[in-house]
Amino acid sequence: MNELLFEIGTEEIPAGYIGPALRFMKSFADRYLSDMGLAHGRISTVGTPRRLTLIVDDLQDKQKDTKTEHTGPAYKAAYDSEGNPTKAALGFARSKGVDVADLQVVTTKKGDYLMVVEEIPGKSTRELLPGLLLSLIHEIPFPKSMHWARSSLAFARPLQWLLALYDGKVINMEIEGIAGNDQTCGHRFMAPEFFKVQDGTGYLQALENHFVIADPARRKELVVKEVEQAVREKQATSKALAGGRALLDEGLLDTVTNLVEIPWGVCGEFDEKFLVLPREALVTSMREHQKYFPVINDNGDLLPFFVAVNNTKIENREMAASGHERVIRARLEDGLFFFNEDKKQRLEDRLDKLSGIIFQQKLGTMDAKSKRMSILAGKLAQLLDPAVKEQAVRAARLAKVDLLTEMVGEFPSLQGVIGCEYARLDGEPEGVAVAIAEQYMPIRAGSELPQTMVGAIVGIADRLDTLVGCFAIGEKPTGNKDSFGLRRQAIGLINIIRGLDLSLSLTDMLSYALAGYDGVIETDSGVVAEVVTFIRLRFENELLAGGYDQDVIKAATSVGFDDLRDCLLRIEALKNIRSREAFVVLSGSFKRIRNITKENITTDVREDLLVEQAEKKLYEVVGRVRSDAQPLIDAQEYDKALEVLLQMKEPVDRFFDEVMVMADNERIRGNRLNLLTVLRELVLQIGDISRMHVED
């Protein structure tokens, strides 16, 4: 059987800790067993709030025996002229625990040396497992760990028991006074007794018999079934729920799955008067605060119902629902009160109070930030879409006002969303209202982007202001420290520009943003270049993660990174042409051109100094290609421009075959370098294709 079954029994671990911990346990075991030279079959992990479990199938029962060769002193130093062992030989033999007669002589490139072959018997797996499992307990990373009682161990929650079996027998191990054994515990309330376990298959079934579904994937399926069943049962007694269904958010499903050991669903309801609250406020109150699933109709509108998932069997559904209803009623009453209070004052009327909120101690208040944002938004709009300039300026000015509202104070995750709702109530243009919500998009990698130009402009202005301001005062990300989430801000900026296919100069816009801090902080012009480099590195990483080749990315970004759209067009063109045989040859020749002309900057070519036919031909082709390619480059039609540049392959090859670039005549030599420099500068407008050349 040779199965390892290891369960760490604990007090209730926070739901968000469980998934990452199980993934770590699997990767750690795989790496550790590989390092120990132990072959194994499938590694799996399961877990609940009270247990983290590792199961390894077909685990090799013993390491293989190995031989290690130890090289000692040189033969000349090991024996004297009469062939007797010297102190060097005797000491080497003694250090390896062998007799001098057992020493061997091995011939190396440096000569003959003494050698001992040490035969190392493999250790049994049972002997190695305690070290593996104790290391695993110590190394599982958690966002926060704790000590308890007199324990020196830091763990997510106090340990309660250890189930540790290999080949059906208990592993001899102990930590913090808790020894490995062959028992686990059932559901805390429904089957709290301990019981014996023999193997992984029996373990999972035995736990289920004791009201614990250990496999998170199966538990998640049961959560969905319970939620859907709860809605169906409620529909039988409530006509208002006809056609309703639970809104199954994946994030909430994962959380609820790891809050319970076995799910039991119940559907409750709340007063329809609360439906006047903004949809996101209702959903957030249910989802984030209570971990309830909202219920919607066929049109996606919220219904005054919700589904809660309990960790214990529900004997009286009406009583259970009533308990949850009392909890959510209190929360929604607070929300409704805050909502009604907020409506008494327009967003515009709160603007002056933004001066009471600090953006950053050295960078000033949110009032100052929103003013800078509105100026920057105006410049961006003038560049990207002058027709929306007025709305962009207005939205940027109002963007942060909802931070002053009671609703955002109660539901911080709704900043922007609440501002959007209140802007609509105030009669602001729809474009302004939507932009206030969209300024924070994308919230995370891969999430929704702004759908409107006004929203994109406000989001870009916000990020540019934060990036340049923080860099200017030295608040730059270092290692794990990124207090203002500047990496996330840069990635969000990149995704907005890419997603909406916008063309703008980062240098210009960052310079405008930096100018907004005049009189507030010292504004060194070098800051702009620093931020551009920071954004470029994030941009390159994003493309690498997206499957682009590093040499293609570097070929484009190394010659120019200011307009992301232009850079992407050049990258796509280079990617598309790189497999062409003519391009492969040309990139190799270009590498030679780059090396030869690296010190040359002059591009004046005198036709009367062209001597060889090959250089005359190259001059002719370069002139024609430049005339054809430059308009295409100016129009950002880089695919077509590269096709034109391929015409230079043959003349360039012939040139290098027949012409001595570094001629003795200084004028001829300079003229030839200038000719190659013209070619170099033309190609570098698209990318440094020498970076894409692979040596044979």
Side-chain angles (χ1 to χ4, degrees):
M1 182 168 60
N2 290 0
E3 176 193 69
L4 168 64
L5 172 60
F6 181 58
E7 177 192 74
I8 306 170
T10 69
E11 296 293 339
E12 278 76 3
I13 297 173
Y17 292 15
I18 296 173
L22 294 179
R23 289 190 290 274
F24 175 83
M25 290 171 68
K26 182 175 181 178
S27 64
F28 180 90
D30 188 30
R31 184 175 66 254
Y32 195 103
L33 292 173
S34 177
D35 291 344
M36 292 295 102
L38 294 173
H40 57 81
R42 178 171 176 262
I43 298 178
S44 57
T45 55
V46 295
T48 74
R50 299 182 67 215
R51 68 200 74 229
L52 301 171
T53 305
L54 171 71
I55 303 173
V56 182
D57 297 333
D58 302 320
L59 180 57
Q60 183 178 323
D61 61 0
K62 180 179 178 294
Q63 291 177 321
K64 291 181 178 179
D65 296 339
T66 59
K67 292 183 178 181
T68 301
E69 296 181 349
H70 299 284
T71 303
Y75 181 82
K76 291 180 180 179
Y79 295 93
D80 61 22
S81 58
E82 297 179 0
N84 297 314
T86 64
K87 289 183 178 180
L90 293 170
F92 177 59
R94 186 169 54 253
S95 70
K96 299 304 176 186
V98 299
D99 191 85
V100 174
D102 295 325
L103 296 177
Q104 300 178 27
V105 179
V106 60
T107 300
T108 71
K109 292 180 179 179
K110 296 181 179 180
D112 292 342
Y113 283 79
L114 297 188
M115 183 183 72
V116 171
V117 177
E118 180 184 8
E119 295 187 359
I120 304 173
K123 293 183 178 180
S124 71
T125 299
R126 182 169 293 280
E127 183 182 353
L128 295 169
L129 283 176
L132 160 64
L133 301 179
L134 291 173
S135 295
L136 175 61
I137 292 173
H138 282 285
E139 294 193 32
I140 298 176
F142 297 106
K144 289 184 179 180
S145 295
M146 63 179 291
H147 295 278
W148 59 94
R150 296 181 179 179
S151 168
S152 61
L153 174 68
F155 206 75
R157 290 296 182 270
L159 301 189
Q160 295 296 308
W161 73 88
L162 294 175
L163 168 64
L165 296 176
Y166 174 61
D167 198 17
K169 297 178 182 178
V170 174
I171 298 169
N172 184 22
M173 62 174 295
E174 181 178 328
I175 186 170
E176 300 297 335
I178 301 173
N181 59 55
D182 60 356
Q183 296 188 30
T184 186
C185 185
H187 192 284
R188 180 185 288 278
F189 304 110
M190 301 174 67
E193 65 274 7
F194 279 87
F195 57 90
K196 287 190 175 183
V197 174
Q198 292 184 333
D199 55 45
T201 303
Y203 165 79
L204 293 174
Q205 186 57 56
L207 280 176
E208 189 162 343
N209 294 340
H210 288 77
F211 302 101
V212 175
I213 309 299
D215 183 358
R218 183 159 180 270
R219 198 163 64 248
K220 185 175 180 178
E221 291 176 359
L222 292 178
V223 169
V224 173
K225 289 180 180 178
E226 281 292 317
V227 170
E228 292 174 342
Q229 178 63 24
V231 173
R232 285 195 294 270
E233 290 181 3
K234 187 70 172 179
Q235 285 171 336
T237 60
S238 178
K239 293 182 179 179
L241 190 51
R245 59 182 175 84
L247 184 60
L248 296 174
D249 175 80
E250 278 298 317
L252 180 56
L253 272 175
D254 290 338
T255 298
V256 170
T257 296
N258 286 326
L259 282 173
V260 300
E261 292 205 300
I262 187 168
W264 305 89
V266 60
C267 186
E269 56 187 297
F270 55 85
D271 197 308
E272 289 189 17
K273 70 178 182 179
F274 297 119
L275 293 177
V276 301
L277 286 168
R279 175 191 173 95
E280 286 301 318
L282 276 171
V283 170
T284 299
S285 181
M286 288 185 266
R287 183 176 60 206
E288 295 185 11
H289 293 171
Q290 308 306 141
K291 307 300 184 285
Y292 295 162
F293 292 91
V295 177
I296 58 175
N297 62 21
D298 291 336
N299 297 323
D301 299 323
L302 286 176
L303 296 175
F305 297 89
F306 64 90
V307 180
V309 177
N310 288 9
N311 188 38
T312 53
K313 187 175 181 179
I314 300 171
E315 301 292 350
N316 186 323
R317 290 190 174 277
E318 186 176 341
M319 181 179 295
S322 176
H324 289 295
E325 288 167 357
R326 286 196 300 273
V327 173
I328 197 171
R329 185 183 305 117
R331 173 69 70 173
L332 295 182
E333 285 286 4
D334 288 344
L336 185 60
F337 172 77
F338 294 142
F339 181 63
N340 288 330
E341 287 298 303
D342 284 342
K343 288 194 298 181
K344 294 177 181 178
Q345 191 173 19
R346 292 168 52 85
L347 291 178
E348 184 178 33
D349 296 336
R350 300 173 184 265
L351 276 171
D352 59 336
K353 295 180 182 176
L354 278 176
S355 59
I357 301 179
I358 299 297
F359 165 50
Q360 201 281 339
Q361 186 176 6
K362 295 180 181 178
L363 300 179
T365 66
M366 276 295 181
D367 182 49
K369 179 176 177 63
S370 69
K371 288 176 179 176
R372 290 193 302 270
M373 283 174 57
S374 63
I375 294 171
L376 195 53
K379 293 186 180 295
L380 284 163
Q382 192 64 44
L383 172 69
L384 300 172
D385 188 354
V388 302
K389 181 176 180 179
E390 184 177 348
Q391 289 193 5
V393 171
R394 179 67 172 172
R397 188 71 180 103
L398 296 175
K400 306 300 179 184
V401 179
D402 66 352
L403 296 175
L404 295 161
T405 64
E406 299 288 349
M407 282 292 280
V408 170
E410 180 72 4
F411 305 110
S413 64
L414 293 183
Q415 55 185 290
V417 175
I418 291 299
C420 172
E421 294 294 331
Y422 288 171
R424 285 183 174 128
L425 291 173
D426 291 349
E428 296 286 348
E430 180 65 11
V432 171
V434 171
I436 292 174
E438 290 185 337
Q439 66 175 303
Y440 296 106
M441 296 179 178
I443 297 173
R444 63 185 66 85
S447 62
E448 188 179 1
L449 295 171
Q451 299 299 302
T452 69
M453 181 61 75
V454 179
I457 287 171
V458 176
I460 291 172
D462 188 8
R463 290 167 172 84
L464 291 176
D465 178 80
T466 298
L467 284 165
V468 80
C470 288
F471 267 75
I473 60 172
E475 284 285 346
K476 308 165 190 175
T478 55
N480 294 328
K481 182 185 176 185
D482 188 4
S483 304
F484 284 83
L486 299 185
R487 295 186 183 96
R488 187 182 70 250
Q489 297 271 11
I491 291 170
L493 176 67
I494 291 165
N495 288 334
I496 293 172
I497 294 173
R498 288 184 65 185
L500 276 72
D501 195 29
L502 304 178
S503 178
L504 57 89
S505 166
L506 285 175
T507 301
D508 288 349
M509 290 304 150
L510 285 166
S511 297
Y512 288 136
L514 185 62
Y517 286 100
D518 285 346
V520 179
I521 56 175
E522 290 186 14
T523 53
D524 182 351
S525 58
V527 168
V528 170
E530 271 193 278
V531 179
V532 170
T533 299
F534 179 73
I535 295 171
R536 176 179 59 77
L537 293 174
R538 306 283 84 70
F539 175 77
E540 291 173 351
N541 289 338
E542 286 286 292
L543 293 186
L544 276 173
Y548 286 82
D549 293 331
Q550 185 172 21
D551 56 352
V552 176
I553 298 169
K554 286 291 188 181
T557 60
S558 64
V559 301
F561 180 79
D562 187 45
D563 183 337
L564 267 64
R565 180 179 182 276
D566 178 77
C567 196
L568 278 167
L569 289 172
R570 290 185 284 115
I571 288 170
E572 287 292 340
L574 292 168
K575 183 185 78 169
N576 293 338
I577 205 169
R578 74 167 307 165
S579 61
R580 297 272 293 277
E581 184 179 350
F583 180 80
V584 173
V585 176
L586 182 61
S587 65
S589 299
F590 189 74
K591 185 172 185 178
R592 188 173 177 184
I593 292 171
R594 286 280 279 163
N595 290 334
I596 293 173
T597 64
K598 60 184 177 183
E599 303 294 336
N600 196 67
I601 59 173
T602 309
T603 56
D604 296 328
V605 180
R606 287 181 52 181
E607 195 169 356
D608 62 304
L609 291 178
L610 300 173
V611 179
E612 305 290 343
Q613 286 300 315
E615 64 181 323
K616 291 179 180 179
K617 181 63 176 177
L618 181 60
Y619 175 73
E620 174 193 335
V621 174
V622 168
R624 185 176 70 250
V625 165
R626 183 163 61 171
S627 297
D628 293 343
Q630 193 61 55
L632 296 172
I633 293 172
D634 294 340
Q636 296 181 317
E637 296 183 40
Y638 298 117
D639 283 298
K640 294 179 180 178
L642 284 170
E643 288 287 347
V644 173
L645 291 176
L646 289 183
Q647 297 175 27
M648 293 190 296
K649 173 193 170 295
E650 296 296 338
V652 168
D653 286 349
R654 182 184 172 194
F655 176 85
F656 281 122
D657 287 341
E658 301 179 10
V659 177
M660 173 63 70
V661 178
M662 307 307 286
D664 292 335
N665 186 300
E666 185 178 345
R667 296 172 65 199
I668 292 177
R669 181 174 67 244
N671 203 55
R672 289 171 179 171
L673 287 172
N674 291 353
L675 175 59
L676 293 177
T677 303
V678 171
L679 175 55
R680 181 194 73 191
E681 295 304 304
L682 181 63
V683 175
L684 287 179
Q685 292 182 68
I686 300 176
D688 181 0
I689 61 175
S690 67
R691 291 175 175 265
M692 298 168 63
H693 176 65
V694 179
E695 298 288 350
D696 294 332

